[in-house]
Amino acid sequence: MSRLHKPKAGFWIRLCVAVLYPLDAVLFRLRWRGLDKVPPPQAGGVMYAINHTSHLDTILMARFVWQTGRIPRFMIKDGVFDVPFIGRVMRGAKQIPVHRGTADAANSLSDAVTALNEGEAVIIYPEGRITRDPDQWPMPGKTGIARLVLQCPDVKVVPVGQWGAQQPLTQKWRLFTRRTSTVIVGDPLDLSRFAGSPAAAGVLREITDVIMAEVRALVAEARGTGRD
């Protein structure tokens, strides 16, 4: 599986690739579809809206985004940046800290807006955490992604449904048995009707629900149950 595009990447991103590629290959069989639907780097910034099933899915989604020919910039809880060495890697790789429930919370969106306006690929888990749904369906999304849509109306939002990353943690693990990671990329969403809308609660909820409806449909497809 070759990369669709090959933008320049710095040392820390290359280090992450060197670690994650073999790790993903050892743990998972990759079944990914629709990667060519992601706008190329020359098209400018892009948001990936992805469902969150496991702590492991981040390492898979990092490789997935890299495979689409983009350099991944995750929005990650700020506490990770305080972990020795890991924090250094996160900062070096230009990941975006999310400050929840603090005076710095607005900076998280500001940093993401800056990255998007500079043509970067920002990865967002709209649920804000690993799903708590008993059947592991996506939960309703938080409205941070909608705020980004309103602040960056020209940036494409690409919905992604992924399934399988949670299996090593929820099923009995057998030595030398790889699980299947299924990722399906949807068409970039047309959210132009919201351009210029105020950041009112109803508008934010509607945008978020439109995005999550498509993500959920893609998850259904990835799980083999059809679109619902």
Side-chain angles (χ1 to χ4, degrees), residues 2-196:
S2 60
R3 295 183 70 205
L4 298 182
H5 313 282
K6 297 182 180 180
K8 294 181 179 179
F11 167 78
W12 292 105
I13 288 291
R14 294 286 181 184
L15 175 63
C16 292
V17 170
V19 172
L20 296 183
Y21 254 60
L23 181 60
D24 288 338
V26 167
L27 293 177
F28 295 98
R29 293 187 298 270
L30 308 181
R31 301 291 183 267
W32 297 349
R33 304 204 311 265
L35 276 65
D36 59 337
K37 294 181 179 181
V38 177
Q42 58 267 31
V46 64
M47 285 182 251
Y48 295 75
I50 308 176
N51 64 302
H52 203 2
T53 63
S54 162
H55 291 296
L56 286 180
D57 65 34
T58 298
I59 67 172
L60 279 164
M61 294 307 98
R63 175 167 176 172
F64 152 70
V65 173
W66 177 259
Q67 208 70 52
T68 66
R70 291 289 197 145
I71 297 174
R73 309 297 188 199
F74 282 86
M75 297 187 71
I76 301 174
K77 290 189 295 186
D78 60 330
V80 175
F81 290 76
D82 296 328
V83 178
F85 183 69
I86 297 297
R88 178 69 185 91
V89 173
M90 293 297 100
R91 286 188 292 273
K94 298 183 180 179
Q95 305 308 296
I96 302 170
V98 176
H99 308 278
R100 293 178 179 171
T102 71
D104 293 327
N107 291 338
S108 303
L109 288 184
S110 176
D111 292 343
V113 168
T114 298
L116 291 168
N117 287 336
E118 291 178 350
E120 299 281 5
V122 175
I123 299 87
I124 304 166
Y125 292 119
E127 298 160 272
R129 59 166 298 122
I130 294 170
T131 182
R132 289 181 173 178
D133 183 88
D135 296 318
Q136 297 180 308
W137 287 101
M139 300 185 299
K142 299 186 182 300
T143 59
I145 191 169
R147 293 181 184 278
L148 287 177
V149 168
L150 293 179
Q151 292 184 59
C152 303
D154 296 326
V155 170
K156 299 294 186 182
V157 178
V158 177
V160 178
Q162 57 95 14
W163 184 251
Q166 78 287 351
Q167 292 181 89
L169 302 180
T170 59
Q171 299 181 10
K172 184 177 180 181
W173 183 262
R174 294 181 180 178
L175 191 63
F176 304 123
T177 298
R178 294 188 299 164
R179 303 298 186 183
T180 298
S181 165
T182 301
V183 175
I184 301 179
V185 184
D187 293 317
L189 298 176
D190 182 5
L191 300 172
S192 59
R193 66 186 183 276
F194 297 106

Side-chain angles (χ1 to χ4, degrees), residues 204-217:
L204 295 173
R205 175 44 53 193
E206 185 178 358
I207 294 172
T208 304
D209 289 348
V210 167
I211 295 170
M212 288 307 299
E214 186 61 21
V215 170
R216 183 182 174 89

